């Protein structure tokens, strides 16, 4: 079969018409930029059959934004890219906007990864625990009075992640 393609220069999805393509892939950039690209023309973003997103950071914020803007996360996967474990999020338009709990661990580590028994999940959670433990130690070392609430939140995050790790190991 003959493939046809166009090369376009432009920002985000501005050079593509609504519904012109089936799938949009946005990869290798931060969640804030991804949400700006999609939010620049939300109706256009919802006209595509599927979004495949690979954010480099703030994945929980991206998941929350998707839910708040009427997208459903239908699949997720973890993939190794050299020393990093990257998250792939597949979303489709078509639901009522939902206001998620910003403190929910499900925004940070998708339940879909547990359902699929993703082979990188244990390592992924261990890495998050390692990072949060460093944050906790840094806050503790600062020994500032106004850090008490941050210490509490960091400790709670570590405990949530450890609970998820145990849940994963029991499968």
């Amino acid at each position: 079969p003959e493939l046809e393609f166009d090369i376009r220069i432009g920002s985000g999805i501005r050079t593509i018409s609504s519904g012109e393509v089936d799938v949009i892939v946005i990869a290798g950039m931060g969640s804030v930029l991804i949400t700006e690209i999609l939010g620049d023309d939300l109706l256009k973003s919802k006209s595509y059959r599927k979004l495949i997103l690979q954010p480099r950071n703030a994945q929980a914020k991206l998941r929350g934004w998707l839910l708040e803007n009427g997208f459903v996360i239908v699949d997720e996967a973890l993939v190794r890219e050299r020393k990093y474990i990257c998250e792939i999020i597949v979303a489709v338009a078509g639901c009522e906007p939902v206001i998620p709990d910003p403190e929910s661990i499900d925004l940070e580590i998708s339940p879909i990864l547990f359902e699929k028994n993703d082979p990188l999940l244990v390592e992924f959670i261990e890495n998050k625990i390692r990072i949060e433990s460093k944050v906790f130690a840094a806050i503790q070392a600062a020994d500032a009075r106004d850090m008490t609430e941050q210490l509490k939140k960091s400790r709670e995050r570590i405990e949530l992640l450890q609970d998820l790790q145990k849940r994963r190991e029991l499968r």
Side-chain angles (χ1 to χ4, degrees):
E2 192 172 308
L3 295 176
E4 188 177 317
F5 62 92
D6 291 331
I7 296 175
R8 302 177 195 180
I9 297 174
S11 179
I13 56 175
R14 290 182 184 164
T15 62
I16 303 169
S17 300
S18 290
E20 182 180 350
V21 296
D22 290 332
V23 179
I24 296 290
V25 177
I26 304 175
M29 56 188 67
S31 290
V32 171
L33 184 53
I34 291 172
T35 60
E36 287 173 1
I37 289 169
L38 295 173
D40 188 44
D41 189 339
L42 193 55
L43 284 176
K44 184 192 286 188
S45 294
K46 289 182 173 187
S47 74
Y48 308 117
R49 193 172 56 81
K50 186 187 302 182
L51 303 175
I52 300 174
L53 310 171
Q54 187 266 307
R56 297 302 270 171
N57 57 38
Q59 293 82 353
K61 288 183 181 184
L62 176 58
R63 286 185 188 94
W65 185 92
L66 289 167
L67 296 173
E68 289 171 6
N69 286 281
F71 290 90
V72 178
I73 298 170
V74 295
D75 198 10
E76 296 217 24
L78 298 172
V79 295
R80 184 174 305 285
E81 183 183 336
R82 295 186 203 107
K83 66 178 184 172
Y84 300 103
I85 296 177
C86 300
E87 297 170 73
I88 309 294
I89 300 169
V90 181
V92 298
C95 74
E96 289 297 314
V98 175
I99 305 299
D101 174 5
E103 301 295 317
S104 172
I105 197 73
D106 288 348
L107 288 178
E108 184 152 352
I109 301 176
S110 172
I112 295 171
L113 298 173
F114 286 93
E115 292 165 17
K116 291 173 61 173
N117 202 19
D118 193 289
L120 293 173
L121 188 55
V122 170
E123 184 181 348
F124 181 70
I125 294 171
E126 287 171 352
N127 189 48
K128 286 195 172 285
I129 292 170
R130 192 170 29 259
I131 291 167
E132 193 63 36
S133 295
K134 287 179 184 177
V135 169
F136 183 82
I139 294 170
Q140 213 169 23
D143 196 32
R145 293 169 212 249
D146 61 338
M147 297 293 208
T148 306
E149 187 60 32
Q150 286 179 304
L151 270 173
K152 181 182 172 208
K153 283 185 177 181
S154 183
R155 185 178 305 116
E156 287 171 356
R157 246 178 80 64
I158 291 170
E159 289 170 3
L160 275 172
L161 290 166
Q162 288 172 334
D163 286 346
L164 282 176
Q165 182 182 35
K166 288 175 189 166
R167 192 171 90 193
R168 170 60 173 90
E169 289 171 350
L170 292 175
R171 290 185 135 202

